[in-house]
Amino acid sequence: MRMRSKFVTGAVALAAVTSLAGVPAEAASGRERGNDRTALQRDTDAIAALGVAGVQARTTGSAGRSVVASSGVSDIGTGRPVPPSAYFRIGSINKTFVATVVLHLVGEGRLGLDDTVERRLPGVLRGNGNRGDRITIRQLLQHTSGISDESYPGFDSAEEYYAHRYDIHTPEEIVALAMRHRPVFEPGRGWSYSNTGYAVLGLVIEKVTGRPWYEEVSTRIIRPLRLHHTVWPGTSATLPRPHLRGYQRFESGGTLVDVTELIDADASGGLISTTADLDRFFRALLGGRLLRPELLRQMQRTVPVDEETNQIMPGARYGLGLSSRPLSCGGTYWTHGGDQLGYRTRNGVADDGRRSVVVAMSTQFNQMDSALGQEKLAHTLVDNALCHERTAPLADQAARTRQLRLLANVSSSSSLSSRDSNPPSASRVNQARDDSGPSAP
């Protein structure tokens, strides 16, 4: 389950952002990128240097070639390195899977984005000003329903974790807890992230299809895409092997607490996966393999996030289970982050669909400076990876120009024939292109 405490609030956010000067400088800016592997490793190492136990990043370019970099360890106790196929809890990335299923049902005519919750789940959203007859499916997907997350189950301390990590919460129970609170705002009149809203969507999917949300995700997404390492854990508190152990720093200056074991399998963040499977999922989704064009356009119709979130993620906008953020090299990328106790995952697909990236981190911090520093470094990694192919062709063209000038000078001053001199030089140019990764045509 997601952390119950607010990630960051009001003026504290601004103070924490100004403290990021202490973040490790190893992460490259958009203008200091090397080749794929070198830059990715540098950015991965920078995240680990902040105190994150284990980091794995995967990028895939326009030619379909993937590059993987890792740093730190998968288990602090044993010191084992991070395996390339490590499992981890994906947290709220689960919401994009659920949103895709909902849009499938819309495309089949079995559900409408502007259907009210009351029509599908009579009497479920009621009390303390909550009215299911005024909240739509679209608003649940877009976090504009106003449903409170104040009582959403979670942990603020190691003691709470040890006491309640094996507790089982039904979606009905989670929704009932939310109904004890007044809405954050009137439906459609604001934006506020709501895990409870996606618990409601899980119930809607089951009502419409007669099957649990995770079975529909498996049938419609996991099996067709052959995501063999994406699983729903049910009531199991463990992860498949090999996996990253998750760690949480609850107190400032405190030790990392191993929080790997946890029962949490609801529609807002229950799945377990790998960087390879998540990369394949997002590339398929944004590449139009999972949704018809008109449905994908609905998913990508965004609204502004609240000011608190915008301070953490400048320029972010939210669609239907998918968000967008600006790139330093121009354009935007599509993403959905995943924060789970002990795990943080970030990802992105460039707006042209040619390049993608996933970074999984096996540590969460309750302290604002560390948490925001981790967020900034993860965004830097994503931005560098997605901007690489936009900047690499310029560097390649400059290198080719220098090579051609060199060849011209050699040709004019040497008695060697062009047949003797050109092939070795051309070979070095091709090798340079190979080393820098595939360039955009």
Side-chain angles (χ1 to χ4, degrees):
M1 54 202 64
R2 274 53 62 202
M3 295 302 293
R4 181 166 57 224
S5 57
K6 292 287 185 181
F7 180 61
V8 66
T9 57
V12 176
L14 295 175
V17 169
T18 62
S19 73
L20 292 181
V23 170
E26 288 85 350
S29 72
R31 293 179 293 275
E32 296 173 337
R33 299 179 181 92
N35 63 56
D36 271 2
R37 193 176 301 277
T38 301
L40 190 65
Q41 188 63 60
R42 179 177 56 230
D43 290 350
T44 302
D45 290 343
I47 295 172
L50 190 67
V52 174
V55 187
Q56 182 187 113
R58 178 184 298 269
T59 67
T60 303
S62 57
R65 180 175 66 91
S66 294
V67 174
V68 180
S70 61
S71 192
V73 297
S74 63
D75 185 331
I76 291 176
T78 65
R80 287 195 299 266
V82 177
S85 57
Y87 288 90
F88 51 87
R89 301 186 190 278
I90 72 171
S92 287
I93 296 172
N94 202 96
K95 293 178 173 66
T96 311
F97 284 82
V98 170
T100 302
V101 169
V102 170
L103 287 167
H104 272 197
L105 297 175
V106 170
E108 293 165 4
R110 303 169 69 182
L111 187 63
L113 286 174
D114 296 318
D115 288 353
T116 64
V117 176
E118 183 67 18
R119 176 183 174 185
R120 299 297 176 173
L121 299 173
V124 172
L125 301 185
R126 186 174 297 174
N128 293 306
N130 295 284
R131 293 183 54 178
D133 62 341
R134 299 182 61 186
I135 295 174
T136 66
I137 301 301
R138 185 192 304 276
Q139 290 167 346
L140 291 177
L141 289 166
Q142 203 155 38
H143 299 298
T144 57
S145 68
I147 295 176
S148 173
D149 246 8
E150 187 67 27
S151 293
Y152 194 88
F155 311 104
D156 292 325
S157 68
E159 290 74 21
E160 286 188 357
Y161 166 72
Y162 289 126
H164 298 290
R165 57 181 165 170
Y166 301 131
D167 291 357
I168 297 174
H169 300 278
T170 66
E172 292 84 357
E173 177 187 351
I174 290 171
V175 174
L177 287 172
M179 295 301 100
R180 297 179 182 178
H181 302 276
R182 292 194 60 80
V184 181
F185 47 74
E186 289 294 311
R189 297 294 183 90
W191 190 92
S192 181
Y193 198 83
S194 177
N195 291 302
T196 304
Y198 272 75
V200 176
L201 286 169
L203 293 173
V204 169
I205 291 172
E206 185 164 1
K207 182 74 171 183
V208 171
T209 67
R211 303 202 310 164
W213 67 269
Y214 50 86
E215 290 187 6
E216 290 296 321
V217 166
S218 180
T219 299
R220 297 169 180 270
I221 303 172
I222 293 176
R223 291 177 189 168
L225 294 182
R226 299 181 181 179
L227 305 181
H228 300 307
H229 299 96
T230 299
V231 298
W232 180 71
T235 57
S236 172
T238 60
L239 287 77
R241 295 184 183 274
H243 59 255
L244 294 172
R245 299 198 70 83
Y247 298 94
Q248 190 81 22
R249 178 164 287 152
F250 289 101
E251 299 178 358
S252 180
T255 60
L256 292 178
V257 177
D258 188 329
V259 293
T260 307
E261 292 195 1
L262 177 69
I263 296 178
D264 182 19
D266 69 26
S268 73
L271 293 176
I272 294 168
S273 192
T274 64
T275 58
D277 270 15
L278 291 182
D279 187 53
R280 181 179 297 180
F281 166 64
F282 277 102
R283 289 178 70 87
L285 176 63
L286 275 302
R289 293 173 56 196
L290 290 174
L291 294 173
R292 298 201 305 265
E294 65 272 19
L295 296 173
L296 184 57
R297 284 194 294 270
Q298 288 282 351
M299 179 177 264
Q300 293 178 308
R301 289 177 59 184
T302 61
V303 297
V305 299
D306 59 10
E307 183 58 31
E308 181 181 328
T309 303
N310 191 63
Q311 290 172 359
I312 303 166
M313 303 174 180
R317 296 177 62 88
Y318 202 92
L320 305 184
L322 192 68
S323 62
S324 66
R325 293 192 66 182
L327 286 167
S328 65
C329 55
T332 60
Y333 70 90
W334 296 96
T335 181
H336 201 298
D339 290 347
Q340 173 60 286
L341 191 74
Y343 299 92
R344 173 170 288 187
T345 308
R346 296 293 181 262
N347 54 70
V349 179
D351 53 4
D352 60 7
R354 297 172 59 83
R355 193 165 179 82
S356 59
V357 58
V358 181
V359 55
M361 299 162 278
S362 63
T363 304
Q364 283 258 42
F365 302 101
N366 282 30
Q367 301 73 46
M368 292 301 101
D369 56 348
S370 296
L372 285 165
Q374 183 181 9
E375 183 66 34
K376 181 178 180 181
L377 289 173
H379 175 65
T380 296
L381 184 151
V382 170
D383 188 85
N384 286 347
L386 296 181
C387 282
H388 176 79
E389 285 192 6
R390 297 190 180 191
T391 58
L394 300 177
D396 286 345
Q397 183 59 48
R400 286 194 289 272
T401 300
R402 289 193 297 271
Q403 288 280 356
L404 290 172
R405 287 175 179 171
L406 177 61
L407 288 176
N409 291 336
V410 170
S411 177
S412 63
S413 62
S414 172
S415 61
L416 292 175
S417 68
S418 60
R419 179 179 178 184
D420 293 328
S421 60
N422 285 344
S425 299
S427 177
R428 286 193 293 272
V429 172
N430 290 337
Q431 184 60 47
R433 292 185 64 186
D434 291 342
D435 288 346
S436 64
S439 59

